[in-house]
Amino acid sequence: MLRYAAPLLVFGIVVFVHELGHFLAAKLTGVYAPVFAFGWGPRLFGIKWGETDYRWSWFPIGGFVAMATKDSEAVAAIEGHTDFGAGGGGDAGAASAEVPGHQRGLNPIPTDPSALKPFGPHPVPQERWIESKSLPAKIFILSAGVLMNVVLAFTVSVGVIAGFGRPYLPAVVDSVVPGRPAMAAGLQRGDSVVAIAGTPVRRWADLITSVSSSAGRPLDIDVVRADGTRATLRVVPEVSDDRDQITGAPIKVGRIGVAPRAKEAREHLPFGQSVKDGWTATWSMGGAVIKVVGGLFSGTVSVKQLGGPIAIARTSFEAAKGGWEQLLSLLAFLSINVAVLNMLPIPLLDGGQILMRVLESVKGSEFSARTQEVVMRVGVLAIALLFALVMFNDLKGLVKLFG
């Protein structure tokens, strides 16, 4: 059952947490936020607590927060919600109050004569519009979703490491390729590598790191034989062509011709070490995403490597088959993806909105409605083209899978 719910679970949590960040930041800075929804679309049911309607929407994936602006209806529509009603204090807000979206759903919210729109007749004070806030407050609100995604990735990573232990492949040789440097140096099947160039080695990944960075240079490898005897062997890694695992760019690495014993081991760590490793994992995932994005702009990464909703669903399905550890690890990685991509300076994304607010601050006034409309149209076009591209890649992948 988990595997079938995995795509909705993973994508839903990542988006919901992102919107939760925006909502909490709005509350902390005094911006009126009358709606916070789990899911998208019209209201199904919910509860009004204070001045906010905490609702469950018809399509239970992701989340939505409505914040008061000078033009609440337009902003709400861009965010994917269409029955917000009035949120601002301007003419658009007054007009939309004639169609009270809060009356819809299984448990409609009664009109409160003392409440702000859309739950009552009172206009939202101008000082509670997002436009009325200082530049730092605006940046905080717009970046809070990204910060929450980073927090989610970090928290999940720590939980996975603390709960399941840290997996690793022991540095034990399972096979030696004839004619390669390892065999020439005397490495044998069953050898446990305990040190390289005097540095202790425990994991196969440590061996790979040392060998890969030492192409053409001699290395002293200390091993313990299967019979318990120790030996020190000198091996010279040969230069080999390879590709970067993240960007696919061609690189030169050292190889000696050995393969590990495919028996994973685990070590349970103190919580403090789990926190440290969780941060390292989060930082590494973020760096990997940034590297891919940079590679797309530089041309070293092909757009064919990009995936969309179908790819996410397939990956989530496969991860769920491997159990909670793999699924949670995927959740952390997707959360970092959303964080990094949302900071790109593209209109509609958080990074683009932050850039607009900074430019307005430098300019000394807001951009005209016409300029903002043009910028938004460019953003919509960019997102639409990206979506079309990833969907094409997804469908092509499905054709190859079932063809």
Side-chain angles (χ1 to χ4, degrees):
M1 181 62 184
L2 174 63
R3 68 185 67 175
Y4 297 106
L8 287 177
L9 180 68
V10 169
F11 187 72
I13 290 176
V14 169
V15 177
F16 178 77
V17 166
H18 183 90
E19 296 301 326
L20 177 62
H22 290 312
F23 174 71
L24 294 177
K27 285 287 191 181
L28 288 172
T29 54
V31 173
Y32 180 53
V35 175
F36 180 61
F38 176 77
W40 294 332
R43 183 182 193 271
L44 182 58
F45 60 86
I47 180 174
K48 185 175 180 291
W49 184 28
E51 61 183 17
T52 301
D53 175 26
Y54 298 88
R55 66 174 61 168
W56 185 290
S57 297
W58 275 99
F59 189 53
I61 181 172
F64 168 75
V65 55
M67 290 181 281
T69 73
K70 292 192 303 182
D71 192 15
S72 290
E73 282 190 312
V75 173
I78 290 171
E79 293 289 334
H81 186 77
T82 56
D83 70 340
F84 162 53
D91 293 338
S96 61
E98 299 175 6
V99 185
H102 60 282
Q103 297 290 349
R104 303 174 185 175
L106 298 179
N107 59 332
I109 303 172
T111 299
D112 182 351
S114 63
L116 300 176
K117 296 175 180 178
F119 309 119
H122 300 287
V124 179
Q126 181 175 343
E127 64 269 15
R128 301 203 63 188
W129 298 348
I130 189 172
E131 291 91 346
S132 301
K133 300 302 176 181
S134 65
L135 178 62
K138 293 175 183 176
I139 292 177
F140 175 53
I141 293 170
L142 291 168
S143 63
V146 166
L147 294 175
M148 283 293 285
N149 279 130
V150 174
V151 170
L152 174 63
F154 170 65
T155 303
V156 171
S157 296
V158 171
V160 168
I161 294 171
F164 295 96
R166 180 168 59 186
Y168 69 96
L169 280 179
V172 179
V173 176
D174 185 67
S175 61
V176 182
V177 180
R180 301 291 297 279
M183 178 165 283
L187 275 166
Q188 302 172 9
R189 181 179 184 183
D191 284 350
S192 296
V193 179
V194 295
I196 298 180
T199 302
V201 169
R202 184 181 182 187
R203 301 171 181 81
W204 189 262
D206 298 333
L207 184 151
I208 293 297
T209 299
S210 297
V211 170
S212 296
S213 60
S214 303
R217 302 198 307 269
L219 284 176
D220 288 331
I221 300 180
D222 297 328
V223 301
V224 175
R225 303 288 192 187
D227 60 5
T229 60
R230 299 178 68 94
T232 299
L233 309 171
R234 174 159 291 190
V235 60
V236 181
E238 62 186 12
V239 180
S240 180
D241 293 322
D242 202 352
R243 290 192 174 274
D244 188 281
Q245 293 184 355
I246 297 173
T247 66
I251 55 175
K252 299 289 186 181
V253 297
R255 291 286 184 265
I256 60 175
V258 289
R261 182 170 294 173
K263 185 177 181 180
E264 189 178 80
R266 286 180 180 270
E267 55 182 338
H268 291 281
L269 307 173
F271 183 72
Q273 185 62 45
S274 297
V275 171
K276 182 179 179 181
D277 282 17
W279 173 250
T280 300
T282 304
W283 184 263
S284 298
M285 289 186 293
V289 178
I290 293 173
K291 197 171 183 179
V292 169
V293 172
L296 288 172
F297 285 101
S298 66
T300 58
V301 176
S302 171
V303 293
K304 295 179 180 179
Q305 295 180 233
L306 298 179
I310 296 176
I312 294 174
R314 286 174 53 194
T315 305
S316 302
F317 185 85
E318 292 300 321
K321 290 197 295 185
W324 279 105
E325 182 181 6
Q326 290 189 31
L327 185 61
L328 290 173
S329 297
L330 175 64
L331 172 63
F333 182 65
L334 288 179
S335 191
I336 280 293
N337 265 270
V338 169
V340 173
L341 296 179
N342 259 282
M343 289 306 293
L344 293 177
I346 299 175
L348 294 188
L349 298 182
D350 295 332
Q353 291 298 310
I354 291 173
L355 179 60
M356 287 285 290
R357 303 293 82 80
V358 170
L359 293 177
E360 285 178 342
S361 179
V362 173
K363 178 173 175 283
S365 62
E366 295 182 6
F367 290 108
S368 66
R370 174 61 180 166
T371 299
Q372 294 193 48
E373 180 184 358
V374 171
V375 170
M376 286 298 178
R377 288 181 182 275
V378 171
V380 169
L381 177 61
I383 297 297
L385 290 175
L386 178 61
F387 184 76
L389 174 63
V390 297
M391 285 300 297
F392 174 77
N393 289 343
D394 282 356
L395 294 173
K396 187 169 64 172
L398 285 179
V399 170
K400 289 183 179 179
L401 181 65
F402 296 107

